[in-house]
Amino acid sequence: MPPHSEPNPSRRGELDRNEVIDTALQLVEAGGGESLTMRKLAAELGVAPNSIYWHVGGRHEVIIALVERLAERQAEATVTGTNGRERVMSAARHVWAAALTHPHVTTLAYEVGATSLLELPLERALAREITAAGLKGDEARDAMRAILISVGGFLVIALRPPDLVPEPWTSATLWAEVDDPLIDPATIDSLTRQLDLPPLFERTVRAVVDSYIPGP
Amino acid sequence: MPPHSEPNPSRRGELDRNEVIDTALQLVEAGGGESLTMRKLAAELGVAPNSIYWHVGGRHEVIIALVERLAERQAEATVTGTNGRERVMSAARHVWAAALTHPHVTTLAYEVGATSLLELPLERALAREITAAGLKGDEARDAMRAILISVGGFLVIALRPPDLVPEPWTSATLWAEVDDPLIDPATIDSLTRQLDLPPLFERTVRAVVDSYIPGP
DNA sequence: ACCTGAACACCGTTCAAGT
DNA sequence: ACCTGAACACCGTTCAAGT
């Protein structure tokens, strides 16, 4: 089998692994995961589809490589705040913000199960703040996972393409048809309106952070 | 393989929408979303692929219909608990449990953006408890969304096929290689071990519930 | 070592044609 | 009204063959 995992510094032709990965990354950032096909990628590179198999591997390997590349590029954002909870919250916000900056790659990474690979630098930053806040071992691990899972829940909503679901089956339309005497009408009305996600993120993730991270 | 995987060549006409949807649902429950192809479905029904277009429509419409069908079947579980927080927590657990009972359909529903359609009966149960707990309008809506998003975050982890990620890129392996003096070693060690999700769910969702729902 | 043409085994979907 | 054969426009992947 060809040298997928190890770089080959000896000599090369016109096409190299780096170029393939960069182009794949561009394709995904521009048009989302479904626009990354071996054939389109090959066409973009002006090469036959099977050449990619030699340099990188199949589609799955291309995706892993592209996620790895973006992870490297991911600038490690600086955490702010003057106490443990604030700093942990800040690290959590960085995970959220980074994912929103690269929605397509984040979605694709999730689909192939490479989320941790993409987020590792930012997860480390979070782990450092949790350590600094005084948590250790399983306690620290639980705090970390709980916070990341909460952020993940919000990302699921935020990263969903808005036109994915046709009108009659949106949450809003569905709730508009609900007539339940045990549910407050004002609540139903509120459920049919657009949701402002960032403030809800702030309040909810803070609740999770506060419950796991000791106060100042 | 099982008798259901063999096509049925001995049929004349009499294909109806219900049969198509039921078979599609079975296909998904058995083998996940990717095993629902128009051609497999047609073969299962002993019919040409294009017949399905006449009775139901394209793949997307088949999926919506199948999600709708399961939603109808979804028995509305009874909420337990003696105070508001307990009862809201119980309703949240039902959403979680229902999704785990039908992991493939839940995943597929998410992929086509029909999560609300699938969960509507259970979301209504949650809305009733939130109403009963005294919340109204935007406040109730925020509580509802925050709780569902938190549950969703856990579902993302719980529903992910375990063998999706190859060894070298699992979260555990990635963390095993981390050597950071600012992170407690016991924490890193804990991050490389298997996570017990249910207790974390319980504690985290409860924190969210407690922060949105007034105490007794 | 590097790249291609051709092929295989799939997809979803459409459309004219049959009953 | 109901169903099909045939085709179109795609996929990912493999393999023998060329340089």
Side-chain angles (χ1 to χ4, degrees):
Chain A
M1 285 287 274
H4 289 156
S5 33
E6 291 142 46
N8 195 356
S10 50
R11 61 177 298 276
R12 53 179 64 120
E14 289 184 11
L15 180 65
D16 73 330
R17 194 185 143 89
N18 278 338
E19 199 185 349
V20 175
I21 298 170
D22 277 339
T23 308
L25 184 51
Q26 284 170 24
L27 231 41
V28 174
E29 299 251 46
E34 68 212 22
S35 77
L36 175 67
T37 74
M38 299 305 274
R39 289 172 137 98
K40 271 188 203 157
L41 177 54
E44 197 80 11
L45 292 159
V47 105
N50 26 5
S51 305
I52 295 161
Y53 287 79
W54 198 92
H55 286 282
V56 187
R59 193 178 116 100
H60 191 262
E61 277 134 305
V62 172
I63 293 174
I64 294 283
L66 136 202
V67 168
E68 221 159 6
R69 172 137 318 170
L70 183 60
E72 286 163 15
R73 288 217 235 286
Q74 205 84 273
E76 213 167 303
T78 40
V79 172
T80 61
T82 54
N83 64 59
R85 284 178 172 173
E86 277 303 327
R87 294 183 62 83
V88 168
M89 191 67 200
S90 167
R93 263 188 228 106
H94 284 317
V95 176
W96 163 257
L100 291 184
T101 310
H102 304 280
H104 292 143
V105 180
T106 305
T107 302
L108 193 55
Y110 162 68
E111 279 166 18
V112 303
T115 315
S116 325
L117 185 60
L118 180 59
E119 290 178 350
L120 192 63
L122 297 169
E123 291 190 10
R124 285 180 57 166
L126 179 60
R128 281 199 287 269
E129 295 308 325
I130 289 176
T131 300
L135 295 193
K136 290 183 189 193
D138 287 1
E139 243 187 299
R141 191 265 319 264
D142 285 353
M144 174 109 174
R145 293 296 181 211
I147 292 165
L148 286 174
I149 286 170
S150 304
V151 173
F154 279 91
L155 285 177
V156 166
I157 307 295
L159 294 178
R160 176 162 50 201
D163 55 336
L164 186 61
V165 60
E167 251 310 311
W169 298 287
T170 57
S171 177
T173 343
L174 254 27
W175 273 104
E177 286 160 13
V178 169
D179 179 28
D180 192 320
L182 294 176
I183 306 176
D184 166 52
T187 301
I188 292 186
D189 185 62
S190 187
L191 283 163
T192 65
R193 288 200 311 273
Q194 189 73 43
L195 176 66
D196 191 15
L197 213 50
L200 198 68
F201 172 91
E202 198 66 25
R203 185 175 164 195
T204 308
V205 176
R206 188 174 289 277
V208 174
V209 168
D210 286 357
S211 93
Y212 278 92
I213 310 293
Chain B
M1 295 305 279
H4 263 61
S5 65
E6 278 159 47
N8 179 8
S10 61
R11 74 144 58 244
R12 278 304 290 147
E14 297 156 37
L15 177 65
D16 72 329
R17 195 186 142 88
N18 277 338
E19 200 186 348
V20 175
I21 297 169
D22 277 339
T23 310
L25 184 52
Q26 284 170 25
L27 231 41
V28 173
E29 299 251 46
E34 68 213 24
S35 77
L36 175 67
T37 73
M38 299 304 274
R39 291 172 135 98
K40 271 189 202 156
L41 178 54
E44 196 79 12
L45 292 160
V47 104
N50 25 3
S51 306
I52 296 162
Y53 286 80
W54 199 92
H55 287 283
V56 188
R59 193 178 115 100
H60 191 261
E61 277 134 306
V62 172
I63 293 173
I64 294 283
L66 134 202
V67 168
E68 221 159 7
R69 172 135 316 168
L70 183 61
E72 287 164 14
R73 287 217 234 287
Q74 206 83 273
E76 212 167 304
T78 42
V79 171
T80 62
T82 55
N83 64 61
R85 285 179 172 173
E86 277 304 325
R87 293 182 64 82
V88 168
M89 191 68 200
S90 167
R93 263 187 228 108
H94 284 319
V95 176
W96 162 257
L100 291 183
T101 309
H102 305 280
H104 291 143
V105 181
T106 305
T107 302
L108 193 55
Y110 162 67
E111 280 166 16
V112 303
T115 316
S116 325
L117 185 61
L118 180 60
E119 290 177 350
L120 192 63
L122 297 169
E123 290 189 11
R124 286 180 56 165
L126 179 61
R128 282 198 287 269
E129 295 309 324
I130 288 176
T131 300
L135 296 193
K136 290 182 192 206
D138 287 1
E139 243 186 299
R141 192 264 319 264
D142 285 353
M144 174 109 172
R145 294 296 181 212
I147 291 165
L148 286 173
I149 287 170
S150 303
V151 173
F154 279 91
L155 285 176
V156 166
I157 307 295
L159 295 177
R160 177 161 50 200
D163 55 336
L164 188 61
V165 198
E167 253 308 313
W169 298 287
T170 58
S171 177
T173 342
L174 254 28
W175 274 103
E177 284 160 15
V178 169
D179 180 27
D180 192 320
L182 295 175
I183 306 176
D184 165 52
T187 302
I188 293 185
D189 185 62
S190 187
L191 283 163
T192 64
R193 288 200 309 273
Q194 188 73 45
L195 176 67
D196 192 15
L197 214 50
L200 198 67
F201 172 91
E202 198 65 25
R203 187 176 161 192
T204 308
V205 177
R206 188 174 290 277
V208 173
V209 168
D210 286 358
S211 92
Y212 279 92
I213 310 293

